[in-house]
Amino acid sequence: MSQVTVNDSEDILKKYDKESNFRTNLHKWAWIVTILAISLTLFQLYTALKGPYVTLIQGAVHLAGGLSIIFILYPFKSSMVKKKGVPWYDGVLALLSLTVNFYIVFEYERLISNQVKILGYSTLDIIVATLGVVLVLEATRRAVGLPIVIIAIVALLYGLLGYVFPIQAFQHSGFTFDRLMTSMFFNTEAIFGTPLRISSTFIFLFLFFGVMLTKTGIGKFFNDLAFSATGRMTGGTAKAAVAASGLQGMVTGSSVANTVSSGSFTIPMMKRAGFKPEFAAATEASASTGGQIMPPVMGAAAFIMASNTGTAYKEIIIIALIPAILYFLGVFLGAHFEAKKQGIHGLPKDQLPPFKGIAKRLDLLAPLFVIIGLLYLGYTANTAALWGIATAFIVSLFRKDTRMSPKAILDVLEQGARVALPVIAACATAGIIAGIVTMTGLGGKITGGIIELSGGSFFLTLFFTMIACLLLGMGLPTTANYVVTAALAAPALMSFDVPLIAAHFFVFYFGIVADITPPVCLAAYAGAGIAKANPMKAGVVAFKLSIAAFIIPYVFVSNPVLLLQGDWTWGSLLPVLITAVLGMVAISASLMNFFVAKMNIIERIILFASGIAMAYPNNLLVSISGFVVLIILGLIQHMRNNKNTSSPSSALS
């Protein structure tokens, strides 16, 4: 069986992950990228230590560094990525990016003064603002992709020409070009709004923390830990892939990148164990996508959610924990039932990492414990991240293979900025969309539209909101998707008295699972590329494995106790938790076509219905009915198995 080479992985990553499609042969420009990237990282570390500047200045420096590096690293067209050097015009765009953003820094006092409020912005201000908006959109197109840019351009046109919008309910008087551009670039409600403000403070530090952990070898440690814990179970290779991706998801936030990096190792192992290529690809894609809902990083959206909802970050990661565990349990169960159906056993002990070797590396977990511990002692996320970074550096000194030379330290500082580039661009463009929503009152109009379309039905409102999130998620990265859906869709749920945090988690979840929802399921396609599998079939299987992500949000919106909201107690939480788990067992078994034995179509439908009944919140009688059906069906299958085993034909086979 062919192995996945490094070049194969890189090609697959570049094909399905726009963020990874950057120039590698920079020639003389490499040192410029190094200087800009290290400067940006040092600026972020300095302001984390001393305290950030005012929002506009902090954001302008952050965006200046990000955009200038993007124009050097990411070519105008993907086909140009392998060309040597950097075209002169990209150098000009990088310089312009620095110029327009530092214009804000140097002109800050005037830009916020009464002079501007009374006399308005100058012609130069309008030119700079227009250039700033165009540069943000172009950089985002290169580093993130076209869909989010199209949405932002449509939003800008709506802001400019709202009076000609075909649906009268959504019309508005429109804004002048000058006001629109200056509002987008010179205030703190658009490009330099909440997404970029959070990116320029918390998100960058946690992404850099992830780079530091990678340097210590924690990714391999998580793989070894997962294989040691689950490798000998039925279908051990698939279960280990799920566990490893869940662990790695605590410190990373890209479903496609996770699928390729982890899948290069886990997918061939699953295939060798006997899993079909489509299933191996889907398992890794589902687990890697789930990494974005696993605390503490959660695809960087957790920090923005904390700001949007007024909930402390340390509370967000606790609230997110139970739904995340349920999601991974759902994928784990799917792998279990598929392994039972295919008769796939675990790995022999001699093929698993020895526990002694793992125990010797437990110190690699110290940075994570430091961050979580400091958060719960009341320290800010900035302080916790800084100490986590420092701890990771100290841990790296313990081993020769992770101990960093001065050159390696500079490389880590550069990589810290590089991994943040797509997030910086996405946050800036998401800010444009959010700014238009605020200026035009579009959010309230869409909320009214969703409720009117649903006829006032709570369930239909949830359903239409889910569809909107899935559609947006097909083209937007996690952070940008959450920003947009939180502004446009979440208010519709809150009109039904859904708790604020539950509404935000609902849109957050469905934005993420777009990566494994056909027809545009990039994580599944990337996994299929590694597995040499049919991409669409891998997407369908990934959808089945991730069914928990489509059920859990409905449960916690209807019963927020699952998010530890309201006057919850263990007495109120445990019944909901137990029935949700049992419901996922039944639903996973139905979709994988195996419970105690293989099932006919009638049994699968009955089992699926019993699972929905058990997961249904706020009605204990319905849940008990579903449980009774589950037990009866299990007994029927067990007796049928015994009968088949004892029959003469079975004995001879």
Side-chain angles (χ1 to χ4, degrees):
M1 187 175 294
S2 61
Q3 296 293 314
V4 180
T5 66
V6 173
N7 287 337
D8 288 339
S9 296
E10 289 180 354
D11 289 343
I12 292 167
L13 195 58
K14 288 180 184 294
K15 181 177 179 181
Y16 294 108
D17 187 26
K18 185 75 173 176
E19 300 172 7
S20 302
N21 203 21
F22 52 80
R23 295 180 174 110
T24 53
N25 192 356
L26 293 170
H27 198 42
K28 295 177 180 179
W29 289 85
W31 68 271
I32 297 177
V33 169
T34 298
I35 290 172
L36 288 171
I38 291 174
S39 299
L40 178 57
T41 301
L42 291 176
F43 168 78
Q44 298 293 160
L45 293 173
Y46 173 78
T47 54
L49 188 64
K50 295 292 185 180
Y53 293 99
V54 293
T55 299
L56 266 181
I57 292 179
Q58 180 80 14
V61 177
H62 182 70
L63 189 60
L67 296 188
S68 60
I69 300 169
I70 285 172
F71 282 118
I72 297 173
L73 279 180
Y74 292 85
F76 180 76
K77 293 191 297 185
S78 297
S79 59
M80 301 167 64
V81 75
K82 292 184 179 180
K83 288 189 176 181
K84 186 177 180 180
V86 177
W88 65 268
Y89 52 82
D90 282 344
V92 171
L93 292 175
L95 183 59
L96 279 175
S97 299
L98 293 170
T99 303
V100 297
N101 282 286
F102 276 99
Y103 182 86
I104 292 176
V105 175
F106 295 125
E107 294 289 319
Y108 175 75
E109 294 297 335
R110 181 182 63 81
L111 290 171
I112 65 165
S113 69
N114 289 329
Q115 175 189 340
V116 167
K117 293 177 184 176
I118 297 169
L119 301 177
Y121 292 100
S122 68
T123 302
L124 181 58
D125 292 338
I126 296 166
I127 292 171
V128 167
T130 304
L131 273 174
V133 171
V134 171
L135 288 167
V136 164
L137 293 175
E138 173 58 12
T140 305
R141 184 192 68 81
R142 294 185 183 201
V144 181
L146 191 58
I148 185 175
V149 175
I150 292 174
I151 294 172
I153 291 172
V154 170
L156 288 169
L157 289 173
Y158 176 72
L160 197 63
L161 304 169
Y163 53 88
V164 298
F165 198 79
I167 302 174
Q168 187 174 1
F170 288 86
Q171 289 180 357
H172 67 95
S173 58
F175 297 94
T176 64
F177 180 83
D178 294 359
R179 183 181 174 189
L180 194 65
M181 291 298 104
T182 52
S183 296
M184 291 297 104
F185 202 66
F186 290 145
N187 71 30
T188 56
E189 292 183 355
I191 286 175
F192 297 105
T194 297
L196 197 70
R197 177 174 62 81
I198 302 298
S199 173
S200 66
T201 50
F202 306 125
I203 294 176
F204 189 100
L205 290 176
F206 277 82
L207 292 175
F208 183 59
F209 172 67
V211 172
M212 288 294 294
L213 288 186
T214 301
K215 179 61 183 175
T216 65
I218 198 166
K220 186 177 185 306
F221 172 74
F222 281 155
N223 274 343
D224 290 347
L225 183 62
F227 271 88
S228 180
T230 63
R232 279 189 282 180
M233 297 179 180
T234 299
T237 51
K239 291 176 178 176
V242 175
S245 292
L247 290 169
Q248 291 193 35
M250 292 192 296
V251 294
T252 59
S254 170
S255 54
V256 176
N258 281 1
T259 299
V260 174
S261 59
S262 298
S264 299
F265 171 68
T266 59
I267 288 174
M269 288 196 72
M270 284 188 269
K271 288 172 67 179
R272 285 196 296 271
F275 287 104
K276 294 178 181 177
E278 288 78 15
F279 188 85
T283 301
E284 183 56 53
S286 301
S288 292
T289 299
Q292 294 184 90
I293 59 176
M294 177 61 76
V297 176
M298 295 169 60
F303 306 99
I304 299 174
M305 191 185 297
S307 179
N308 284 348
T309 61
T311 307
Y313 170 69
K314 67 178 183 180
E315 293 178 24
I316 291 284
I317 60 179
I318 285 295
I319 290 168
L321 191 58
I322 292 176
I325 291 172
L326 288 175
Y327 173 85
F328 279 99
L329 177 63
V331 182
F332 197 88
L333 286 168
H336 173 78
F337 288 124
E338 180 69 15
K340 293 290 285 186
K341 182 174 71 177
Q342 301 292 341
I344 299 171
H345 303 292
L347 294 170
K349 186 177 180 180
D350 60 359
Q351 291 185 24
L352 298 173
F355 182 75
K356 277 187 177 180
I358 293 172
K360 289 179 180 177
R361 290 181 287 161
L362 286 176
D363 58 285
L364 295 177
L365 297 176
L368 285 172
F369 285 122
V370 165
I371 280 188
I372 294 169
L374 287 176
L375 286 172
Y376 281 90
L377 287 174
Y379 289 89
T380 65
N382 270 10
T383 301
L386 275 175
W387 278 104
I389 291 166
T391 306
F393 176 73
I394 293 168
V395 167
S396 74
L397 300 176
F398 294 168
R399 293 174 184 82
K400 186 177 180 180
D401 59 332
T402 58
R403 197 174 299 134
M404 288 185 278
S405 64
K407 184 178 182 302
I409 292 172
L410 292 177
D411 182 61
V412 167
L413 291 171
E414 179 179 345
Q415 291 304 315
R418 281 190 175 220
V419 298
L421 297 178
V423 175
I424 294 171
C427 284
T429 300
I432 292 175
I433 301 166
I436 293 294
V437 170
T438 301
M439 288 178 68
T440 62
L442 181 61
K445 294 170 185 175
I446 288 181
T447 295
I450 290 175
I451 294 172
E452 185 178 344
L453 184 64
S454 66
S457 164
F458 179 51
F459 176 78
L460 286 178
T461 299
L462 290 175
F463 179 76
F464 290 139
T465 302
M466 175 189 76
I467 296 300
C469 295
L470 289 173
L471 290 173
L472 284 169
M474 290 177 184
L476 303 185
T478 301
T479 307
N481 179 279
Y482 166 69
V483 171
V484 175
T485 54
L488 297 178
L493 305 185
M494 288 183 283
S495 65
F496 287 90
D497 295 326
V498 172
L500 177 65
I501 195 72
H504 280 255
F505 263 96
F506 186 89
V507 299
F508 174 59
Y509 258 63
F510 283 114
I512 284 172
V513 295
D515 275 348
I516 42 175
T517 304
V520 183
C521 37
L522 295 182
Y525 291 171
I530 294 173
K532 312 297 182 192
N534 181 296
M536 189 53 67
K537 286 182 179 178
V540 171
V541 177
F543 174 79
K544 291 180 182 179
L545 284 170
S546 306
I547 194 66
F550 291 85
I551 296 172
I552 293 166
Y554 284 90
V555 177
F556 65 58
V557 162
S558 301
N559 196 334
V561 69
L562 207 60
L563 295 175
L564 309 181
Q565 296 300 290
D567 297 324
W568 74 276
T569 62
W570 287 108
S572 62
L573 174 63
L574 286 176
V576 178
L577 194 56
I578 291 168
T579 54
V581 170
L582 290 172
M584 283 195 298
V585 170
I587 291 167
S588 291
S590 170
L591 293 175
M592 293 300 111
N593 191 19
F594 191 95
F595 185 34
V596 178
K598 284 187 179 181
M599 296 176 280
N600 58 46
I601 187 64
I602 301 299
E603 289 175 324
R604 292 180 70 181
I605 292 171
I606 291 171
L607 193 59
F608 188 88
S610 78
I612 295 295
M614 283 185 283
Y616 188 81
N618 300 327
N619 195 318
L620 189 59
L621 183 61
V622 172
S623 296
I624 290 173
S625 301
F627 180 65
V628 170
V629 171
L630 177 74
I631 295 298
I632 291 173
L633 190 59
L635 289 172
I636 291 172
Q637 290 193 344
H638 180 70
M639 288 187 289
R640 190 170 66 212
N641 263 1
N642 286 344
K643 183 179 178 181
N644 290 340
T645 303
S646 59
S647 67
S649 59
S650 175
L652 292 171
S653 60

